[in-house]
Amino acid sequence: MNALSKKEIVLISLMLFSMFFGAGNLIFPPFLGQSAGDQVGLSLAGFILSAVGLPILGVAAIAKAGSFYELAKRVHPAFASLFPLLIYVSIGPGLAIPRAGSLAYEMGMLPFLPQTAATQPVGLALYTLVFFGLVFWFSLSPSKLVDRFGKLMTPALLILLSLIFVKSLFGPKGGLVQAEGAYAAHPVMQGFLDGYLTMDALAALAFGIVVSNTLRSKGVTEPGRLSGYMMAAGTGAGILLAVIYLMLGVIGSTHAFLGKAENGAQLLTNVMGHLFGSSGILLLGVIFTVACLCVSIGLVTSCSQYFSGLFPRISYRGWVGLLCIVSMLIANMGLTLILKISVPILGAIYPVAIVLILFALAEPLLSPRSHLYVTAVGLVVVYGLLDLVNTMLLPRSMDFLLASLPLYSEGAGWVVPAFVGSILGFGVDLLRKRAY
């Protein structure tokens, strides 16, 4: 057994934080702050509950189950092969990694290029070539991620964000405006749903393998100690996320006087221009680039480790190169198209991950062999497929069925199928016990 020092645990927590904290985490909290206005405190509480709580629970669930595969196998062996593959493709080269590269370009480079139709495709191609070249280089040595993230990239990101927050405290700012729409009616619930959109619970399932392998490289192999350190790293990363979300939410709520922004990226651009002038746009571009680079490296690393285990004929290095090339090509489709495709797909996957995480943490009250895994997860999968058809393949074709579900309009219609499936699974468990 090998005990880690407090410094090593802190560095692993910083590594995990930087892997979680991408561009989406930057743009959602300030936009929430602007929209929530005088209800920003309650809305941020709901946001942190889902955007921080669920990822921490996800890391803890993987720590308890031993691996993502072992957790998914509780539903069915076929599910254990298909669902993790779907998640890794979705948060990896299919959607999330290209989205990060494209967003880094739009926030970090595009504002400084001539705004002509001819230059933008060339600029995107050259930028993504350099961006994914850096991702490739950093991802080749996953054992060095703690040093690179924990000692370099994460502190740089935290310093830049802290600088903006401090400047905003002493700069001109306005009072809190009245909350809008759902933020006025149910601020905690709306904040919770906004946190759901960060999709970090999916990333937690994927990043578990990176944290586990990092700990093993440091000599931690005993299951109980490994699980404990993974939970400690997840908690440390979660605390940092919560602090950053609070800062960004306050910035958004106190700068509503700058005018209504259409999204968080536009809001941050307005705030940075107000606080720092033209140099603020450059600073914001640096922050977005660092955040997108960190999350892309984390995703390429975890996906390459997963795929090299699943398809060992291609080495880890080969998978890193392949994922970077595919991600670069998809990134050149442009951010708008990538977001249009990603939202409904990830929205169908995310509820399944939440149910798996909650069930894994319910041990020892819930046996790994419980039928709840089959019935509840099964119904949520069916709901997700129907919702995907309704939003992407055959728009509005399933409204007659799905719109009748409570919370559907708020984006949480999967809760009822999960509850019904849990009752059915519990009933099957009771009948099974009586049979024996």
Side-chain angles (χ1 to χ4, degrees), residues 69 72-73 76-86 306 310:
Y69 177 81
K73 194 170 69 173
H76 192 274
F79 179 83
S81 298
L82 293 175
F83 186 63
L85 178 63
L86 181 60
Y306 171 76
L310 193 63

Side-chain angles (χ1 to χ4, degrees), residues 97-109:
I97 301 174
R99 183 179 65 181
S102 182
L103 185 54
Y105 166 74
E106 295 217 0
M107 296 301 298
M109 181 59 67

Side-chain angles (χ1 to χ4, degrees), residues 139-158:
S139 302
L140 288 180
S141 303
S143 61
K144 296 181 181 179
L145 286 181
V146 172
D147 291 331
R148 289 170 174 168
F149 281 178
K151 296 180 180 178
L152 178 62
M153 301 180 79
T154 305
L157 182 62
L158 292 174

Side-chain angles (χ1 to χ4, degrees), residues 124-430:
L124 178 59
L126 292 176
Y127 183 89
T128 52
L129 180 63
V130 175
F131 182 89
F132 285 106
L134 289 172
V135 172
F136 174 79
W137 181 72
F138 276 110
S139 302
L140 288 180
S141 303
S143 61
K144 296 181 181 179
L145 286 181
V146 172
D147 291 331
R148 289 170 174 168
F149 281 178
K151 296 180 180 178
L152 178 62
M153 301 180 79
T154 305
L157 182 62
L158 292 174
I159 290 171
L160 289 173
L161 290 172
S162 299
L163 174 65
I164 296 170
F165 179 66
V166 172
K167 177 71 173 179
S168 71
L169 291 179
F170 294 98
K173 50 185 176 292
L176 300 181
V177 299
Q178 188 172 357
E180 302 175 355
Y183 294 99
H186 39 82
V188 176
M189 183 62 180
Q190 186 57 43
F192 184 89
L193 293 173
D194 285 347
Y196 166 98
L197 294 175
T198 66
M199 303 294 175
D200 277 344
L202 295 182
L205 298 176
F207 291 157
I209 188 173
V210 178
V211 178
S212 177
N213 288 342
T214 299
L215 290 170
R216 288 190 174 94
S217 72
K218 294 182 175 294
V220 180
T221 56
E222 194 270 321
R225 189 179 291 267
L226 187 67
S227 176
Y229 283 139
M230 287 182 67
M231 292 183 184
T235 301
I239 292 173
L240 275 177
L241 285 171
V243 171
I244 296 300
Y245 290 153
L246 286 171
M247 291 195 302
L248 291 171
V250 170
I251 290 173
S253 65
T254 55
H255 287 80
F257 69 93
L258 295 176
K260 177 66 176 175
E262 296 181 3
N263 54 61
Q266 186 182 105
L267 173 60
L268 282 177
T269 300
N270 295 340
V271 171
M272 293 299 288
H274 172 70
L275 294 176
F276 299 96
S278 58
S279 61
I281 309 301
L282 176 61
L283 179 59
L284 183 63
V286 172
I287 292 174
F288 265 88
T289 300
V290 172
C292 290
L293 193 62
C294 287
V295 78
S296 296
I297 294 166
L299 288 170
V300 167
T301 299
S302 53
C303 289
S304 297
Q305 290 177 343
Y306 171 76
F307 286 123
S308 62
L310 193 63
F311 306 105
R313 289 189 176 182
I314 302 178
S315 66
Y316 171 82
R317 183 186 182 93
W319 277 111
V320 170
L322 180 60
L323 295 183
C324 286
I325 291 172
V326 172
S327 298
M328 180 181 67
L329 294 175
I330 296 178
N332 279 270
M333 294 167 53
L335 180 62
T336 301
L337 181 58
I338 294 172
L339 290 176
K340 183 178 180 180
I341 296 172
S342 67
V343 171
I345 294 176
L346 292 175
I349 299 172
Y350 202 79
V352 181
I354 293 177
V355 174
L356 278 176
I357 290 170
L358 295 179
F359 283 176
L361 297 174
E363 295 181 26
L365 297 177
L366 183 65
S367 167
R369 296 184 177 183
S370 172
H371 285 82
L372 268 74
Y373 280 98
V374 178
T375 54
V377 172
L379 286 182
V380 173
V381 167
V382 171
Y383 166 84
L385 291 174
L386 292 176
D387 191 39
L388 186 62
V389 169
N390 193 49
T391 56
M392 190 173 183
L393 302 178
L394 299 172
R396 322 317 311 174
S397 62
M398 297 291 175
D399 271 357
F400 71 95
L401 178 63
L402 298 176
S404 61
L405 291 173
L407 301 179
Y408 177 72
S409 60
E410 289 86 0
W414 58 271
V415 171
V416 171
F419 181 73
V420 172
S422 298
I423 294 176
L424 290 174
F426 182 71
V428 174
D429 285 347
L430 286 179

Side-chain angles (χ1 to χ4, degrees), residues 32 35-44 176-179 183-185 187-188:
L32 176 149
S35 303
D38 56 3
Q39 297 294 326
V40 63
L42 291 175
S43 297
L44 278 174
L176 300 181
V177 299
Q178 188 172 357
Y183 294 99
V188 176

